[in-house]
Amino acid sequence: MNPSEIKELLPYLTTQEKAELDLILSRDTQKWRPLLGPQTLAFESQADIVGYGGAAGGGKTDLACGKALTKHKRIMILRREATQLSSVVDRLTEILRTRDGYNGQEKIWRLPDRQIEFGSLPNLGDETKYQGRPHDLLVFDEAANFLERQVRFLLGWLRTTDPNQRCQALLTFNPPTTADGRWIVDFFGPWLNAKHPRPAQPAELRYFATIDGKDVEVESKAPFLHNGETIQPMSRTFIPSRVTDNPYLMGTGYLSTLQSLPEPLRSQMLYGDFTAGMEDDPWQVIPTKWVDQAMDRWVKLDKKPEMTSMGVDVARGGKDSTVIARRHDNYFDEPLVYSGAQTPDGPKVAGLVIAALRDKAPIHIDIIGVGSSPYDFLNVNRQHVLGVNVAEKSLSLDRSGRLAFYNLRSELWWKMREALDPANNEAISLPPDNRLRSDLCAPIWSLQGSSIKVESREDIIKRIGRSPDFASAYILALIDTPKANYVKSILEGARDLNRRSYDPYQNLVR
C-alpha cells in the first residue's frame, strides 16, 4: 500500500487502528515517529524553546527521545534527580532495541551519528558542571522541578558549530504543585498565565529578549541594539497534550487511573490545569493570594500622590539587580531596575536614586555590604537617607502584641505580610510584576520560642537559586519615616514651647 492510499484511508480508521499503523510505519521507516496531533506539532516546531505537556500521558519523554534520535547530534537530557533518568534510558533502549554504545558510568550514549548525554541538577550550582559543553538539543524533562536559574544558565550553552544543525531546547512538564515551580508559568506566560494581556495559541511562536535581566516580548527574531549591545531574541512556544492524544495509553486503562486521582491532582494530570493545586508552603511568609489581590488593585496613574518613601536594594554582583521601589502612601509604583553593570559603584547608585526621588521622600537603603557606599554618597549630597541594617535587633512586636522578631529583617518582612493581609484593610496596591510577585512569595518563616524568624537571604538563594532583590526594595519602601521637613517643624515647635515654658516674661508675651 502506497502513502497516498494510507492517507485516503486514515479518516476511516479507529484510534486503536491508527496507533497500530503508526507503530508499523515507525518500525519500517525510521527509529521513531511522532504521534499525530500535539506531539507532531512539537516535533516539527521551529521555536528555539519548546514547552510541551501539561497533562500526564501525552508522550513528553517519548518526544525527547524521538528528537534526540532523529533531529540532533549533540544532546543533553536532564532530570532534577539522577535516579529519574533510568526511565529515559529504558525508553531509548526500547526504541533502539539495544544498549550498544551506552556507558552507564559516564552516562553517555554514543551512537554512530550522534551523542546523548544524561545529567542531573539536584542542587543549585550543579549546572556549572556542564559549563562550556555546547549541545544542539537541551532537554529539561519535568522542567517545573528545576530551578529557573539552572535552566537559564544552561540555555547559554545551546549552540553548535555546524551551520546546518538547528539548536533547540525542549522543556516538558506537568503543572507545578509548589511555589518553587511557578516560574514555568511566567516563562510561558502567553500560553499559561490566564492574566497575560496577549494570550497565545498552542504552537504559536512568540519572541523574547532579555533586557536588563527581564524577559521582554518583542515582535520578531530580528536582532536589535540596546545600550550599545546587540540583543538576539529567541522564539518560544507551548503545545499542550493529554493522555487522550496518546492512543497507546488510551488502550491500557491509564485514563481511568488519572480519572480516579484526588483533586487537585486529577485536574492537573488529566487536563493540564495550571490554575489547580499550586499550594503555598504552609510556612510561606506572604500568601500568594494576598500578593495577587494587591496587584489586581493596581492601576497605572498619570498623576500619583505625593511620594512618601523609597526603598533601595543594591546589586551584590553577578546577576543581581539594583532595584528602586517608590511608594506613594498605599500605592507602590513600578520598580526601577538596573543591572550590576549599570550600578558598579556608590556614586552611580546614588545618582539613580536622586533622579528618581520626588517630594523629599525619605530613602531607605540596605547598608549591609555594598549598600554602604551609596548611603555615604547620598548623605554627602544632603539627602534624607536612612541606612537599614536588617541584621540588627528588633524591638517591635507583631500586630497581636504576642510575638517578637528574631531580627529587623524578620520584622520588615512581617510588616509587609501584615500590610497585605486583607483582614487589615490597608488596600495596598502593588505593580503587577512577575519578578516582584515571585520574590514576595519566596521566603518561609519559623518560630523560635516566641520570636518570628524569616529565612535569610543566603538561605533563600540556596533553596530557589536567586536573591529576592525586588521584594527587598519594596519592604524597605514600606518603612514609615517622617519626612525631614516634618521632623524639623516638630523640633522647632518643641524648642519654641521650651522657650515659652521657661521665659520669665511669658505672661507679657501672651
Side-chain angles (χ1 to χ4, degrees), residues 152-231:
R152 289 188 180 274
F153 178 86
L154 289 177
L155 286 175
W157 305 103
L158 181 63
R159 66 189 191 200
T160 180
T161 56
D162 183 353
N164 298 315
Q165 176 60 59
R166 180 172 182 79
C167 292
Q168 195 171 68
L170 173 64
L171 282 65
T172 70
F173 52 92
N174 297 124
T177 56
T178 66
D180 289 350
R182 280 194 176 104
W183 69 268
I184 203 81
V185 177
D186 296 329
F187 193 85
F188 292 101
W191 299 269
L192 304 181
N193 189 341
K195 296 180 180 180
H196 195 277
R198 226 165 48 92
Q201 295 299 312
E204 179 185 345
L205 295 190
R206 290 288 179 89
Y207 303 91
F208 293 85
T210 303
I211 301 175
D212 299 331
K214 179 182 179 180
D215 276 355
V216 177
E217 192 170 345
V218 295
E219 289 301 316
S220 72
K221 199 174 180 179
F224 60 92
L225 284 175
H226 175 73
N227 293 336
E229 179 184 2
T230 300
I231 305 292

Coordinates of all heavy atoms in Angstrom, one line a residue, residues 152-231:
R152 N 18.0 28.7 32.9 CA 18.5 29.9 32.2 C 20.1 29.8 32.0 O 20.6 30.2 30.9 CB 18.1 31.2 32.9 CG 16.6 31.5 32.7 CD 16.3 32.9 33.3 NE 14.9 33.2 33.2 CZ 14.3 33.7 32.2 NH1 15.0 34.0 31.1 NH2 13.0 34.0 32.2
F153 N 20.8 29.3 33.0 CA 22.2 29.2 32.8 C 22.6 28.2 31.7 O 23.4 28.6 30.8 CB 22.8 28.7 34.2 CG 24.3 28.5 34.1 CD1 25.2 29.5 34.4 CD2 24.9 27.3 33.8 CE1 26.6 29.4 34.3 CE2 26.2 27.1 33.8 CZ 27.1 28.1 34.0
L154 N 22.0 27.1 31.7 CA 22.3 26.1 30.6 C 21.8 26.5 29.3 O 22.4 26.0 28.3 CB 21.7 24.7 31.0 CG 22.5 24.1 32.2 CD1 21.8 22.7 32.6 CD2 23.9 23.8 31.9
L155 N 20.8 27.3 29.2 CA 20.4 27.8 27.8 C 21.5 28.6 27.2 O 21.5 28.7 26.0 CB 19.1 28.6 28.0 CG 17.8 27.9 28.2 CD1 16.7 28.9 28.5 CD2 17.5 26.9 27.1
G156 N 22.4 29.1 28.0 CA 23.6 29.8 27.4 C 24.5 29.0 26.6 O 25.4 29.5 25.9
W157 N 24.4 27.6 26.8 CA 25.3 26.7 26.1 C 24.5 25.9 25.0 O 25.0 24.9 24.6 CB 26.0 25.8 27.1 CG 26.7 26.5 28.1 CD1 26.3 26.7 29.4 CD2 27.9 27.2 28.0 NE1 27.2 27.5 30.1 CE2 28.2 27.8 29.2 CE3 28.8 27.4 26.9 CZ2 29.3 28.6 29.5 CZ3 30.0 28.1 27.2 CH2 30.2 28.7 28.4
L158 N 23.4 26.5 24.6 CA 22.6 25.9 23.5 C 23.2 26.4 22.2 O 22.9 27.5 21.7 CB 21.2 26.2 23.6 CG 20.2 25.7 22.6 CD1 20.2 24.2 22.6 CD2 18.8 26.2 22.8
R159 N 24.1 25.7 21.6 CA 24.8 26.2 20.4 C 25.5 25.1 19.6 O 25.7 24.0 20.2 CB 25.8 27.3 20.7 CG 27.0 26.8 21.6 CD 27.8 27.9 22.1 NE 29.1 27.4 22.7 CZ 29.8 28.1 23.5 NH1 29.4 29.3 23.9 NH2 30.9 27.6 24.0
T160 N 25.9 25.3 18.4 CA 26.6 24.4 17.6 C 27.5 25.1 16.6 O 27.2 26.3 16.3 CB 25.6 23.5 16.8 OG1 26.4 22.5 16.1 CG2 24.7 24.3 15.9
T161 N 28.5 24.4 16.2 CA 29.4 25.0 15.1 C 29.0 24.5 13.7 O 29.5 25.0 12.7 CB 30.9 24.6 15.4 OG1 31.0 23.1 15.4 CG2 31.4 25.2 16.7
D162 N 28.0 23.6 13.7 CA 27.5 23.1 12.4 C 26.4 24.1 11.8 O 25.4 24.2 12.4 CB 26.9 21.7 12.6 CG 26.5 21.1 11.2 OD1 26.5 21.8 10.2 OD2 26.1 19.9 11.3
P163 N 26.7 24.8 10.7 CA 25.7 25.8 10.2 C 24.4 25.1 9.8 O 23.4 25.8 9.6 CB 26.4 26.4 9.1 CG 27.5 25.4 8.6 CD 27.9 24.7 9.9
N164 N 24.4 23.8 9.5 CA 23.2 23.1 9.1 C 22.4 22.5 10.2 O 21.4 21.8 10.0 CB 23.6 22.0 8.1 CG 24.3 22.6 6.8 OD1 23.8 23.6 6.3 ND2 25.4 22.0 6.4
Q165 N 22.9 22.6 11.4 CA 22.3 21.9 12.6 C 21.4 22.9 13.3 O 22.0 23.9 13.8 CB 23.3 21.3 13.5 CG 22.7 20.6 14.7 CD 21.7 19.5 14.4 OE1 22.0 18.6 13.8 NE2 20.5 19.7 14.9
R166 N 20.2 22.7 13.5 CA 19.3 23.6 14.3 C 19.5 23.3 15.8 O 19.6 22.1 16.2 CB 17.8 23.3 13.9 CG 16.9 24.2 14.7 CD 15.5 24.1 14.1 NE 14.6 25.0 14.9 CZ 14.5 26.3 14.7 NH1 15.3 26.9 13.8 NH2 13.7 27.1 15.4
C167 N 19.5 24.3 16.6 CA 19.6 24.2 18.0 C 18.2 24.4 18.6 O 17.4 25.3 18.2 CB 20.6 25.2 18.6 SG 22.3 25.0 18.2
Q168 N 17.9 23.7 19.7 CA 16.6 23.8 20.3 C 16.6 23.3 21.7 O 17.4 22.4 22.1 CB 15.6 23.0 19.5 CG 14.1 23.3 19.8 CD 13.1 22.6 18.9 OE1 13.0 21.3 18.9 NE2 12.4 23.3 18.1
A169 N 15.8 23.9 22.6 CA 15.6 23.5 23.9 C 14.2 23.0 24.0 O 13.3 23.6 23.5 CB 15.9 24.6 24.9
L170 N 14.0 21.8 24.7 CA 12.7 21.2 24.9 C 12.5 21.1 26.4 O 13.2 20.5 27.1 CB 12.6 19.8 24.3 CG 11.4 19.0 24.6 CD1 10.2 19.7 24.0 CD2 11.5 17.6 24.0
L171 N 11.4 21.8 26.9 CA 11.0 21.7 28.3 C 9.7 21.0 28.4 O 8.7 21.5 27.9 CB 10.8 23.1 28.9 CG 12.1 23.9 29.2 CD1 13.0 24.2 28.0 CD2 11.8 25.2 30.0
T172 N 9.7 19.8 29.0 CA 8.5 19.1 29.2 C 8.1 19.1 30.6 O 8.9 19.1 31.5 CB 8.7 17.6 28.8 OG1 9.5 16.9 29.7 CG2 9.3 17.5 27.4
F173 N 6.8 19.3 30.9 CA 6.4 19.4 32.3 C 4.9 19.3 32.5 O 4.1 19.4 31.5 CB 6.8 20.8 32.8 CG 6.4 22.0 31.9 CD1 5.2 22.6 32.1 CD2 7.2 22.4 30.9 CE1 4.8 23.7 31.3 CE2 6.8 23.5 30.1 CZ 5.6 24.1 30.3
N174 N 4.5 18.9 33.7 CA 3.1 19.0 34.2 C 3.0 20.3 35.0 O 3.9 20.9 35.3 CB 2.8 17.8 35.1 CG 2.9 16.4 34.3 OD1 3.7 15.6 34.8 ND2 2.2 16.3 33.2
P175 N 1.7 20.7 35.3 CA 1.6 21.9 36.1 C 2.3 21.7 37.4 O 2.3 20.7 38.1 CB 0.0 21.9 36.4 CG -0.5 21.2 35.2 CD 0.4 20.1 34.9
P176 N 3.0 22.8 37.8 CA 3.8 22.8 39.1 C 2.8 22.7 40.3 O 1.7 23.2 40.3 CB 4.5 24.1 39.1 CG 3.7 25.0 38.3 CD 3.1 24.1 37.2
T177 N 3.3 22.0 41.3 CA 2.4 21.8 42.5 C 2.9 22.7 43.7 O 2.2 22.7 44.7 CB 2.4 20.3 42.9 OG1 3.8 19.9 43.1 CG2 1.8 19.5 41.9
T178 N 4.1 23.3 43.6 CA 4.6 24.1 44.6 C 5.0 25.5 44.1 O 5.1 25.7 42.9 CB 5.9 23.5 45.3 OG1 6.9 23.4 44.3 CG2 5.6 22.1 45.7
A179 N 5.2 26.4 45.0 CA 5.6 27.8 44.6 C 6.9 27.8 43.9 O 7.1 28.7 43.0 CB 5.6 28.7 45.8
D180 N 7.8 26.9 44.2 CA 9.1 26.9 43.6 C 9.1 26.6 42.1 O 10.0 27.0 41.3 CB 10.0 25.9 44.2 CG 10.4 26.2 45.6 OD1 10.2 27.4 46.0 OD2 11.0 25.4 46.4
G181 N 8.0 26.0 41.6 CA 7.9 25.7 40.2 C 7.0 26.6 39.4 O 6.9 26.5 38.2
R182 N 6.6 27.7 40.1 CA 5.7 28.7 39.4 C 6.4 29.4 38.3 O 5.7 30.0 37.5 CB 5.1 29.6 40.4 CG 3.9 29.1 41.2 CD 3.2 30.2 41.9 NE 2.0 29.7 42.6 CZ 1.9 29.5 43.9 NH1 3.0 29.8 44.7 NH2 0.8 29.1 44.5
W183 N 7.7 29.5 38.3 CA 8.4 30.2 37.3 C 8.1 29.8 35.9 O 8.1 30.5 34.9 CB 9.9 30.1 37.5 CG 10.5 28.8 37.3 CD1 10.7 27.8 38.2 CD2 11.0 28.2 36.0 NE1 11.2 26.6 37.6 CE2 11.4 26.9 36.2 CE3 11.1 28.8 34.7 CZ2 12.0 26.1 35.2 CZ3 11.6 28.0 33.7 CH2 12.0 26.7 34.0
I184 N 7.7 28.5 35.8 CA 7.4 27.9 34.4 C 6.2 28.6 33.8 O 6.1 28.8 32.6 CB 7.3 26.4 34.5 CG1 7.5 25.7 33.2 CG2 5.9 26.0 35.0 CD1 8.9 25.5 32.8
V185 N 5.2 29.0 34.7 CA 4.0 29.6 34.2 C 4.4 31.0 33.7 O 3.8 31.4 32.6 CB 3.0 29.7 35.3 CG1 1.7 30.5 34.9 CG2 2.6 28.4 35.8
D186 N 5.3 31.7 34.3 CA 5.7 33.0 33.8 C 6.5 32.9 32.6 O 6.4 33.7 31.7 CB 6.4 33.8 34.9 CG 5.6 34.1 36.1 OD1 4.4 34.3 36.0 OD2 6.1 34.1 37.3
F187 N 7.4 31.9 32.5 CA 8.3 31.7 31.4 C 7.5 31.5 30.1 O 7.8 32.0 29.0 CB 9.2 30.5 31.7 CG 10.3 30.4 30.7 CD1 11.5 31.0 30.9 CD2 10.2 29.5 29.6 CE1 12.6 30.9 30.1 CE2 11.3 29.4 28.7 CZ 12.5 30.1 28.9
F188 N 6.4 30.7 30.2 CA 5.5 30.5 29.1 C 4.2 31.3 29.3 O 3.1 30.7 29.1 CB 5.2 29.0 28.9 CG 6.4 28.2 28.4 CD1 7.2 27.5 29.3 CD2 6.8 28.2 27.1 CE1 8.3 26.7 28.9 CE2 7.9 27.5 26.7 CZ 8.7 26.8 27.6
G189 N 4.3 32.5 29.8 CA 3.2 33.3 30.2 C 2.1 33.5 29.1 O 0.9 33.3 29.4
P190 N 2.4 33.7 27.8 CA 1.3 33.9 26.8 C 0.4 32.7 26.7 O -0.7 32.8 26.3 CB 2.1 34.2 25.5 CG 3.4 34.8 26.0 CD 3.7 34.0 27.3
W191 N 0.9 31.5 27.1 CA 0.1 30.3 26.9 C -0.5 29.8 28.3 O -1.6 29.2 28.3 CB 1.0 29.2 26.4 CG 1.5 29.5 25.0 CD1 1.0 29.2 23.8 CD2 2.8 30.1 24.7 NE1 1.8 29.6 22.8 CE2 2.9 30.2 23.3 CE3 3.8 30.7 25.5 CZ2 4.0 30.8 22.7 CZ3 4.9 31.3 24.9 CH2 5.0 31.3 23.5
L192 N 0.2 30.1 29.4 CA -0.2 29.5 30.6 C -0.7 30.5 31.7 O -1.4 30.1 32.6 CB 1.0 28.8 31.3 CG 1.7 27.7 30.4 CD1 2.8 27.0 31.1 CD2 0.7 26.6 30.0
N193 N -0.4 31.8 31.5 CA -0.8 32.7 32.5 C -2.2 33.3 32.1 O -2.3 34.0 31.1 CB 0.2 33.8 32.7 CG -0.1 34.8 33.8 OD1 -1.2 34.8 34.3 ND2 0.9 35.5 34.3
A194 N -3.2 33.1 32.8 CA -4.6 33.5 32.5 C -4.7 35.0 32.5 O -5.6 35.6 31.8 CB -5.6 32.9 33.4
K195 N -3.8 35.7 33.1 CA -3.8 37.2 33.2 C -2.9 37.8 32.1 O -2.8 39.1 32.1 CB -3.4 37.7 34.6 CG -4.3 37.2 35.7 CD -3.9 37.7 37.0 CE -4.8 37.3 38.1 NZ -4.4 37.8 39.5
H196 N -2.3 37.1 31.2 CA -1.5 37.7 30.2 C -2.3 38.5 29.3 O -3.3 38.1 28.8 CB -0.7 36.6 29.4 CG 0.4 37.1 28.6 ND1 0.3 37.6 27.4 CD2 1.7 37.1 28.9 CE1 1.5 38.0 27.0 NE2 2.4 37.7 27.9
P197 N -1.8 39.8 29.0 CA -2.6 40.7 28.2 C -2.7 40.3 26.7 O -3.6 40.7 26.1 CB -1.8 42.0 28.3 CG -0.4 41.6 28.6 CD -0.5 40.4 29.5
R198 N -1.8 39.4 26.3 CA -1.9 39.0 24.8 C -1.7 37.5 24.8 O -0.7 36.9 24.5 CB -0.8 39.7 24.1 CG -1.3 40.3 22.7 CD -0.2 41.2 22.2 NE 1.1 40.8 22.1 CZ 1.7 40.1 21.1 NH1 1.0 39.8 20.0 NH2 2.9 39.8 21.1
P199 N -2.8 36.7 25.1 CA -2.7 35.2 25.1 C -2.3 34.7 23.7 O -2.6 35.2 22.7 CB -4.1 34.8 25.4 CG -4.7 36.0 26.1 CD -4.1 37.2 25.4
A200 N -1.5 33.6 23.7 CA -1.1 32.9 22.5 C -1.8 31.6 22.3 O -2.2 30.9 23.3 CB 0.4 32.7 22.6
Q201 N -1.9 31.2 21.1 CA -2.5 29.9 20.7 C -1.4 28.8 20.8 O -0.2 29.1 20.7 CB -3.0 30.0 19.3 CG -4.2 30.9 19.1 CD -5.4 30.6 19.9 OE1 -5.8 29.4 20.0 NE2 -5.9 31.5 20.6
P202 N -1.8 27.6 21.0 CA -0.9 26.5 21.1 C -0.1 26.4 19.8 O -0.6 26.6 18.7 CB -1.8 25.2 21.2 CG -3.0 25.7 21.9 CD -3.2 27.1 21.4
A203 N 1.2 26.2 19.9 CA 2.2 26.1 18.8 C 2.5 27.5 18.2 O 3.4 27.5 17.3 CB 1.8 25.1 17.8
E204 N 1.9 28.5 18.6 CA 2.2 29.9 18.1 C 3.6 30.3 18.5 O 3.9 30.1 19.7 CB 1.1 30.9 18.5 CG 1.4 32.3 18.0 CD 0.4 33.3 18.6 OE1 -0.6 32.9 19.2 OE2 0.7 34.5 18.5
L205 N 4.3 30.9 17.7 CA 5.7 31.4 18.0 C 5.6 32.8 18.6 O 4.9 33.7 18.1 CB 6.6 31.5 16.8 CG 7.0 30.1 16.2 CD1 8.1 30.4 15.2 CD2 7.4 29.1 17.2
R206 N 6.2 33.0 19.7 CA 6.4 34.4 20.3 C 7.9 34.6 20.5 O 8.7 33.6 20.7 CB 5.7 34.5 21.6 CG 4.1 34.5 21.5 CD 3.6 35.8 20.9 NE 2.2 35.8 20.8 CZ 1.4 36.2 21.7 NH1 1.8 36.6 22.9 NH2 0.0 36.2 21.5
Y207 N 8.3 35.8 20.5 CA 9.7 36.2 20.6 C 10.1 37.0 21.8 O 9.3 37.9 22.2 CB 10.1 37.0 19.3 CG 9.8 36.2 18.1 CD1 8.5 36.4 17.4 CD2 10.7 35.3 17.5 CE1 8.2 35.7 16.3 CE2 10.3 34.6 16.3 CZ 9.1 34.8 15.7 OH 8.8 34.1 14.6
F208 N 11.1 36.6 22.5 CA 11.5 37.2 23.8 C 13.0 37.6 23.8 O 13.8 36.8 23.2 CB 11.3 36.2 24.9 CG 9.8 35.9 25.2 CD1 9.1 34.9 24.4 CD2 9.1 36.7 26.1 CE1 7.8 34.7 24.6 CE2 7.7 36.4 26.3 CZ 7.1 35.4 25.6
A209 N 13.3 38.7 24.3 CA 14.6 39.2 24.5 C 14.8 39.5 26.0 O 13.9 39.9 26.7 CB 14.9 40.4 23.7
T210 N 16.0 39.2 26.5 CA 16.4 39.5 27.9 C 17.0 40.9 27.9 O 18.1 41.1 27.4 CB 17.3 38.5 28.5 OG1 16.7 37.2 28.4 CG2 17.6 38.8 29.9
I211 N 16.3 41.9 28.5 CA 16.8 43.2 28.6 C 16.9 43.6 30.0 O 15.9 43.6 30.8 CB 15.9 44.2 27.8 CG1 15.8 43.8 26.3 CG2 16.4 45.6 27.9 CD1 14.7 44.6 25.6
D212 N 18.1 44.0 30.5 CA 18.4 44.3 31.8 C 17.9 43.3 32.8 O 17.2 43.6 33.8 CB 17.8 45.7 32.2 CG 18.3 46.8 31.3 OD1 19.5 46.7 30.9 OD2 17.6 47.8 31.0
G213 N 18.1 42.0 32.4 CA 17.7 40.9 33.3 C 16.2 40.5 33.3 O 15.8 39.7 34.0
K214 N 15.4 41.2 32.4 CA 14.0 40.9 32.4 C 13.6 40.4 31.0 O 14.0 40.9 30.0 CB 13.2 42.1 32.7 CG 11.7 41.9 32.7 CD 11.0 43.2 33.0 CE 9.4 43.0 32.9 NZ 8.7 44.3 33.2
D215 N 12.7 39.4 30.9 CA 12.2 38.9 29.7 C 11.2 39.9 29.1 O 10.3 40.3 29.8 CB 11.5 37.6 29.8 CG 12.4 36.4 29.8 OD1 13.6 36.6 29.6 OD2 12.0 35.2 30.0
V216 N 11.5 40.3 27.9 CA 10.6 41.3 27.2 C 10.1 40.7 25.9 O 11.0 40.2 25.1 CB 11.3 42.6 26.9 CG1 10.4 43.6 26.2 CG2 11.8 43.2 28.3
E217 N 8.8 40.7 25.7 CA 8.3 40.2 24.4 C 8.5 41.2 23.3 O 8.2 42.4 23.5 CB 6.8 39.8 24.6 CG 6.3 39.0 23.4 CD 4.9 38.4 23.7 OE1 4.5 38.5 24.9 OE2 4.3 38.0 22.7
V218 N 9.0 40.7 22.2 CA 9.3 41.6 21.0 C 8.5 41.1 19.8 O 8.0 40.0 19.8 CB 10.8 41.8 20.8 CG1 11.5 42.5 21.9 CG2 11.5 40.4 20.5
E219 N 8.6 41.8 18.7 CA 7.8 41.5 17.6 C 8.4 40.4 16.7 O 7.6 39.6 16.0 CB 7.5 42.7 16.7 CG 6.6 43.7 17.4 CD 5.2 43.1 17.6 OE1 4.7 42.4 16.8 OE2 4.7 43.3 18.7
S220 N 9.7 40.2 16.7 CA 10.3 39.3 15.8 C 11.6 38.8 16.3 O 12.1 39.3 17.4 CB 10.5 39.9 14.4 OG 11.6 40.8 14.4
K221 N 12.3 38.0 15.6 CA 13.6 37.4 16.0 C 14.7 38.3 15.5 O 15.9 38.0 15.8 CB 13.7 36.0 15.4 CG 14.8 35.2 16.1 CD 14.9 33.8 15.6 CE 16.0 33.0 16.4 NZ 16.0 31.6 16.0
A222 N 14.4 39.4 14.9 CA 15.5 40.3 14.4 C 16.3 40.9 15.5 O 15.7 41.4 16.5 CB 14.8 41.4 13.5
P223 N 17.6 40.8 15.4 CA 18.4 41.4 16.5 C 18.3 42.9 16.5 O 18.0 43.6 15.5 CB 19.9 41.0 16.1 CG 19.8 40.7 14.6 CD 18.4 40.2 14.3
F224 N 18.5 43.5 17.7 CA 18.4 45.0 17.8 C 19.4 45.5 18.8 O 20.0 44.7 19.6 CB 17.0 45.4 18.2 CG 16.6 44.8 19.5 CD1 16.7 45.5 20.7 CD2 15.9 43.6 19.6 CE1 16.3 45.0 21.9 CE2 15.5 43.0 20.8 CZ 15.7 43.7 22.0
L225 N 19.7 46.8 18.8 CA 20.7 47.3 19.7 C 20.0 47.9 21.0 O 18.9 48.5 20.9 CB 21.5 48.5 19.0 CG 22.5 48.1 18.0 CD1 23.1 49.3 17.4 CD2 23.7 47.3 18.7
H226 N 20.6 47.6 22.1 CA 20.1 48.2 23.4 C 21.3 48.6 24.2 O 22.2 47.7 24.6 CB 19.3 47.1 24.1 CG 18.8 47.6 25.5 ND1 17.9 48.5 25.7 CD2 19.3 47.2 26.7 CE1 17.7 48.7 26.9 NE2 18.5 48.0 27.6
N227 N 21.5 49.9 24.5 CA 22.6 50.4 25.2 C 23.9 49.9 24.7 O 24.8 49.5 25.4 CB 22.5 50.0 26.7 CG 21.3 50.7 27.4 OD1 20.9 51.7 27.0 ND2 20.8 50.1 28.5
G228 N 24.0 49.9 23.3 CA 25.3 49.6 22.7 C 25.5 48.1 22.5 O 26.5 47.7 22.0
E229 N 24.6 47.3 23.0 CA 24.7 45.8 22.9 C 23.7 45.2 22.0 O 22.6 45.6 21.9 CB 24.5 45.2 24.3 CG 24.6 43.7 24.3 CD 24.3 43.1 25.7 OE1 24.0 43.8 26.6 OE2 24.4 41.8 25.8
T230 N 24.2 44.3 21.1 CA 23.2 43.6 20.2 C 22.5 42.5 20.9 O 23.1 41.6 21.5 CB 24.0 43.0 19.0 OG1 24.7 44.1 18.3 CG2 23.1 42.4 18.0
I231 N 21.2 42.7 20.9 CA 20.3 41.7 21.6 C 19.7 40.8 20.5 O 19.1 41.2 19.5 CB 19.2 42.4 22.4 CG1 19.8 43.4 23.4 CG2 18.3 41.3 23.1 CD1 20.5 42.8 24.5

